[in-house]
Coordinates of all heavy atoms in Angstrom, one line a residue:
M1 N -230.9 -43.9 28.9 CA -230.2 -44.1 30.1 C -231.2 -44.5 31.2 O -232.3 -43.9 31.3 CB -229.6 -42.7 30.5 CG -228.7 -42.8 31.7 SD -228.0 -41.2 32.3 CE -227.1 -40.7 31.0
S2 N -230.8 -45.5 31.9 CA -231.7 -45.9 33.0 C -231.4 -45.3 34.3 O -230.4 -44.7 34.5 CB -231.5 -47.4 33.1 OG -230.2 -47.7 33.6
L3 N -232.4 -45.4 35.2 CA -232.3 -44.8 36.5 C -231.5 -45.7 37.4 O -231.5 -46.9 37.3 CB -233.6 -44.5 37.1 CG -234.5 -43.5 36.4 CD1 -235.9 -43.4 37.0 CD2 -233.9 -42.1 36.5
P4 N -230.7 -45.1 38.3 CA -229.9 -46.0 39.2 C -230.9 -46.8 40.2 O -231.9 -46.3 40.5 CB -229.0 -45.0 40.0 CG -229.8 -43.7 39.9 CD -230.5 -43.7 38.6
T5 N -230.4 -47.9 40.6 CA -231.2 -48.7 41.6 C -230.3 -48.8 42.9 O -229.1 -48.9 42.8 CB -231.5 -50.1 41.1 OG1 -230.2 -50.7 40.8 CG2 -232.4 -50.0 39.9
F6 N -230.9 -48.6 44.0 CA -230.2 -48.6 45.2 C -230.7 -49.9 46.0 O -231.9 -50.1 46.1 CB -230.5 -47.4 46.0 CG -230.0 -46.1 45.3 CD1 -230.9 -45.3 44.7 CD2 -228.7 -45.8 45.3 CE1 -230.4 -44.2 44.0 CE2 -228.2 -44.7 44.7 CZ -229.1 -43.9 44.0
P7 N -229.8 -50.6 46.7 CA -230.2 -51.7 47.5 C -231.1 -51.2 48.7 O -230.9 -50.1 49.2 CB -228.9 -52.3 48.0 CG -227.9 -51.2 47.9 CD -228.4 -50.3 46.8
R8 N -232.0 -52.1 49.2 CA -232.8 -51.8 50.4 C -231.9 -52.0 51.6 O -231.0 -52.8 51.7 CB -233.9 -52.8 50.5 CG -235.0 -52.6 49.5 CD -236.2 -53.3 50.0 NE -237.4 -52.7 49.3 CZ -238.1 -51.7 49.8 NH1 -237.7 -51.0 50.8 NH2 -239.1 -51.3 49.1
I9 N -232.0 -51.0 52.5 CA -231.2 -51.0 53.7 C -232.1 -51.6 54.8 O -233.2 -51.1 55.1 CB -230.8 -49.6 54.1 CG1 -229.9 -49.0 53.0 CG2 -230.0 -49.6 55.5 CD1 -229.6 -47.6 53.3
D10 N -231.6 -52.8 55.3 CA -232.4 -53.5 56.4 C -231.5 -53.7 57.5 O -230.4 -54.4 57.4 CB -232.9 -54.8 55.8 CG -233.9 -55.4 56.7 OD1 -234.7 -54.7 57.3 OD2 -234.0 -56.7 56.7
P11 N -231.7 -53.2 58.7 CA -232.8 -52.4 59.1 C -232.7 -51.0 58.7 O -231.6 -50.6 58.3 CB -232.8 -52.5 60.7 CG -231.3 -52.7 61.0 CD -230.8 -53.6 59.8
P12 N -233.8 -50.2 58.6 CA -233.7 -48.8 58.2 C -232.8 -48.0 59.0 O -232.6 -48.3 60.2 CB -235.1 -48.3 58.3 CG -236.0 -49.6 58.4 CD -235.1 -50.6 59.0
L13 N -232.1 -47.0 58.4 CA -231.2 -46.2 59.1 C -231.9 -45.3 60.1 O -233.0 -44.8 59.8 CB -230.4 -45.3 58.2 CG -229.3 -46.0 57.3 CD1 -228.7 -45.0 56.4 CD2 -228.2 -46.6 58.2
T14 N -231.3 -45.0 61.2 CA -231.8 -44.1 62.2 C -231.2 -42.7 61.8 O -230.4 -42.6 60.9 CB -231.3 -44.4 63.6 OG1 -229.9 -44.4 63.6 CG2 -231.8 -45.8 64.0
R15 N -231.7 -41.7 62.5 CA -231.1 -40.3 62.3 C -229.6 -40.3 62.5 O -228.9 -39.8 61.7 CB -231.8 -39.4 63.2 CG -231.3 -37.9 63.0 CD -232.1 -37.0 64.0 NE -231.5 -35.7 64.0 CZ -232.0 -34.7 63.2 NH1 -232.9 -34.9 62.4 NH2 -231.4 -33.5 63.3
E16 N -229.2 -40.9 63.5 CA -227.7 -41.0 63.9 C -227.0 -41.8 62.8 O -225.9 -41.4 62.3 CB -227.5 -41.6 65.2 CG -226.1 -41.7 65.6 CD -225.9 -42.4 67.0 OE1 -226.9 -42.7 67.7 OE2 -224.7 -42.6 67.4
G17 N -227.5 -42.9 62.4 CA -226.9 -43.7 61.3 C -226.8 -42.9 60.0 O -225.8 -43.0 59.3
S18 N -227.8 -42.1 59.7 CA -227.8 -41.3 58.4 C -226.7 -40.3 58.5 O -226.0 -40.0 57.6 CB -229.2 -40.6 58.2 OG -230.2 -41.6 58.1
L19 N -226.6 -39.6 59.7 CA -225.6 -38.6 59.8 C -224.2 -39.2 59.7 O -223.3 -38.6 59.1 CB -225.8 -37.9 61.2 CG -227.0 -36.9 61.2 CD1 -227.2 -36.4 62.7 CD2 -226.9 -35.8 60.3
N20 N -224.0 -40.4 60.3 CA -222.7 -41.0 60.2 C -222.4 -41.3 58.7 O -221.3 -41.2 58.3 CB -222.7 -42.3 61.0 CG -222.6 -42.1 62.5 OD1 -222.1 -41.0 62.9 ND2 -223.0 -43.0 63.3
E21 N -223.4 -41.8 58.0 CA -223.1 -42.1 56.5 C -222.8 -40.8 55.8 O -221.9 -40.9 54.9 CB -224.4 -42.7 55.9 CG -224.7 -44.1 56.4 CD -223.7 -45.1 55.9 OE1 -223.1 -45.0 54.9 OE2 -223.5 -46.1 56.7
I22 N -223.5 -39.7 56.0 CA -223.1 -38.5 55.4 C -221.8 -38.0 55.7 O -221.0 -37.6 54.8 CB -224.2 -37.4 55.7 CG1 -225.6 -37.8 55.1 CG2 -223.8 -36.0 55.2 CD1 -226.7 -36.9 55.6
I23 N -221.4 -38.0 57.0 CA -220.1 -37.6 57.4 C -219.0 -38.5 56.8 O -217.9 -38.0 56.3 CB -220.0 -37.5 58.9 CG1 -220.9 -36.4 59.4 CG2 -218.5 -37.3 59.4 CD1 -221.0 -36.3 60.9
S24 N -219.2 -39.8 56.8 CA -218.2 -40.7 56.1 C -218.1 -40.4 54.7 O -217.0 -40.5 54.1 CB -218.7 -42.2 56.4 OG -218.7 -42.5 57.7
S25 N -219.2 -40.1 54.0 CA -219.1 -39.8 52.6 C -218.3 -38.5 52.3 O -217.5 -38.5 51.4 CB -220.6 -39.6 52.0 OG -220.5 -39.2 50.7
I26 N -218.6 -37.5 53.1 CA -217.8 -36.3 53.0 C -216.3 -36.5 53.2 O -215.4 -36.0 52.5 CB -218.4 -35.2 53.9 CG1 -219.8 -34.8 53.5 CG2 -217.4 -34.0 54.0 CD1 -220.5 -33.9 54.5
A27 N -216.0 -37.3 54.2 CA -214.6 -37.6 54.6 C -213.9 -38.3 53.4 O -212.8 -38.0 53.0 CB -214.5 -38.4 55.8
A28 N -214.6 -39.3 52.8 CA -214.1 -40.0 51.7 C -213.8 -39.1 50.5 O -212.8 -39.3 49.7 CB -215.0 -41.2 51.3
E29 N -214.8 -38.2 50.2 CA -214.6 -37.2 49.1 C -213.4 -36.3 49.4 O -212.6 -36.1 48.4 CB -215.9 -36.4 49.0 CG -215.8 -35.4 47.8 CD -217.1 -34.6 47.7 OE1 -218.0 -34.8 48.5 OE2 -217.2 -33.9 46.8
E30 N -213.2 -35.9 50.6 CA -212.1 -35.0 50.8 C -210.8 -35.7 50.7 O -209.8 -35.2 50.2 CB -212.2 -34.4 52.3 CG -213.2 -33.4 52.4 CD -213.3 -32.8 53.8 OE1 -212.5 -33.2 54.7 OE2 -214.1 -31.9 54.0
L31 N -210.7 -37.0 51.1 CA -209.5 -37.8 51.0 C -209.2 -38.0 49.5 O -208.1 -37.9 49.1 CB -209.7 -39.2 51.6 CG -208.6 -40.1 51.6 CD1 -207.3 -39.6 52.3 CD2 -208.9 -41.4 52.2
S32 N -210.2 -38.3 48.7 CA -210.0 -38.5 47.2 C -209.5 -37.2 46.6 O -208.6 -37.2 45.7 CB -211.2 -39.0 46.5 OG -212.2 -38.1 46.6
L33 N -210.1 -36.1 47.0 CA -209.6 -34.8 46.4 C -208.2 -34.5 46.9 O -207.4 -33.9 46.0 CB -210.5 -33.7 46.9 CG -211.9 -33.7 46.2 CD1 -212.8 -32.6 46.9 CD2 -211.8 -33.4 44.7
S34 N -207.8 -34.8 48.0 CA -206.4 -34.6 48.5 C -205.4 -35.4 47.7 O -204.3 -34.9 47.4 CB -206.3 -34.8 50.0 OG -206.4 -36.2 50.3
H35 N -205.8 -36.7 47.3 CA -205.0 -37.5 46.5 C -204.8 -36.9 45.1 O -203.7 -36.9 44.5 CB -205.5 -38.9 46.4 CG -205.3 -39.7 47.7 ND1 -204.0 -40.2 48.0 CD2 -206.1 -40.1 48.6 CE1 -204.1 -40.9 49.1 NE2 -205.4 -40.8 49.5
I36 N -205.9 -36.4 44.6 CA -205.8 -35.8 43.2 C -204.9 -34.5 43.2 O -204.1 -34.4 42.4 CB -207.3 -35.4 42.8 CG1 -208.0 -36.7 42.5 CG2 -207.2 -34.5 41.5 CD1 -209.5 -36.4 42.3
L37 N -205.1 -33.7 44.2 CA -204.2 -32.5 44.4 C -202.8 -32.8 44.6 O -201.9 -32.2 44.0 CB -204.8 -31.6 45.5 CG -206.1 -30.9 45.2 CD1 -206.6 -30.2 46.5 CD2 -206.1 -30.0 44.0
L38 N -202.5 -33.8 45.4 CA -201.1 -34.3 45.7 C -200.5 -34.8 44.4 O -199.3 -34.4 44.1 CB -201.1 -35.3 46.7 CG -199.7 -35.9 47.0 CD1 -198.8 -34.8 47.7 CD2 -199.8 -37.1 48.0
T39 N -201.2 -35.5 43.6 CA -200.7 -36.1 42.3 C -200.4 -34.9 41.3 O -199.4 -34.9 40.7 CB -201.6 -37.1 41.7 OG1 -201.9 -38.1 42.7 CG2 -201.1 -37.7 40.4
R40 N -201.3 -34.0 41.3 CA -201.2 -32.9 40.4 C -200.0 -32.0 40.8 O -199.2 -31.6 39.9 CB -202.5 -32.0 40.4 CG -202.4 -30.8 39.6 CD -203.7 -30.1 39.6 NE -203.6 -28.8 38.8 CZ -204.4 -27.8 38.9 NH1 -205.4 -27.9 39.8 NH2 -204.2 -26.8 38.3
N41 N -199.8 -31.8 42.1 CA -198.7 -31.0 42.5 C -197.3 -31.7 42.3 O -196.3 -31.0 42.0 CB -198.8 -30.6 44.0 CG -199.8 -29.6 44.3 OD1 -200.2 -28.8 43.4 ND2 -200.4 -29.5 45.5
Q42 N -197.3 -33.0 42.4 CA -196.1 -33.7 42.2 C -195.7 -33.7 40.7 O -194.5 -33.7 40.3 CB -196.2 -35.2 42.6 CG -196.2 -35.4 44.1 CD -196.5 -36.8 44.5 OE1 -196.9 -37.6 43.7 NE2 -196.2 -37.1 45.8
K43 N -196.7 -33.6 39.8 CA -196.4 -33.5 38.3 C -195.9 -32.2 38.0 O -195.0 -32.0 37.1 CB -197.7 -33.8 37.6 CG -198.1 -35.3 37.6 CD -199.4 -35.4 36.7 CE -199.8 -36.9 36.7 NZ -201.0 -37.0 35.9
E44 N -196.4 -31.1 38.7 CA -195.9 -29.8 38.3 C -194.7 -29.3 39.1 O -194.1 -28.3 38.7 CB -197.1 -28.8 38.7 CG -198.3 -29.0 37.8 CD -199.5 -28.1 38.2 OE1 -199.3 -27.4 39.2 OE2 -200.5 -28.2 37.6
A45 N -194.3 -30.0 40.1 CA -193.1 -29.6 40.9 C -191.8 -29.8 40.1 O -191.7 -30.9 39.4 CB -193.1 -30.3 42.2
P46 N -190.8 -29.0 40.2 CA -189.6 -29.2 39.5 C -188.8 -30.3 40.2 O -188.9 -30.4 41.4 CB -188.8 -27.9 39.6 CG -189.5 -27.2 40.8 CD -190.9 -27.7 40.9
P47 N -188.2 -31.2 39.4 CA -187.5 -32.3 40.0 C -186.1 -31.9 40.6 O -185.3 -31.4 39.9 CB -187.3 -33.3 38.8 CG -187.3 -32.4 37.7 CD -188.2 -31.2 38.0
W48 N -186.0 -32.0 41.9 CA -184.7 -31.6 42.6 C -184.0 -32.9 43.0 O -184.5 -33.6 43.7 CB -184.8 -30.7 43.8 CG -185.7 -29.5 43.6 CD1 -186.8 -29.3 44.3 CD2 -185.5 -28.4 42.8 NE1 -187.4 -28.1 44.0 CE2 -186.6 -27.5 43.1 CE3 -184.6 -28.0 41.9 CZ2 -186.7 -26.3 42.5 CZ3 -184.7 -26.8 41.3 CH2 -185.8 -25.9 41.6

């Protein structure tokens, strides 16, 4: 298995830019988890 390669970021991120990237990543993860849970609940709900 090979190691992942990451593209160079030019210009380098500032502290504020890094925090924005982290917060955006967390928001995207929460959104994807909410979609997974919604789909799961729709499958388990009784059809009325």
Side-chain angles (χ1 to χ4, degrees):
M1 185 186 297
S2 62
L3 295 174
T5 58
F6 299 101
R8 289 197 159 276
I9 299 174
D10 192 35
L13 286 176
T14 61
R15 179 181 173 94
E16 182 180 352
S18 298
L19 290 174
N20 284 337
E21 291 291 328
I22 291 170
I23 292 170
S24 296
S25 173
I26 292 169
E29 183 180 2
E30 288 183 359
L31 180 63
S32 64
L33 288 173
S34 70
H35 284 288
I36 291 169
L37 292 175
L38 178 64
T39 303
R40 181 178 173 198
N41 287 336
Q42 287 175 345
K43 287 181 180 178
E44 294 176 357
W48 312 115

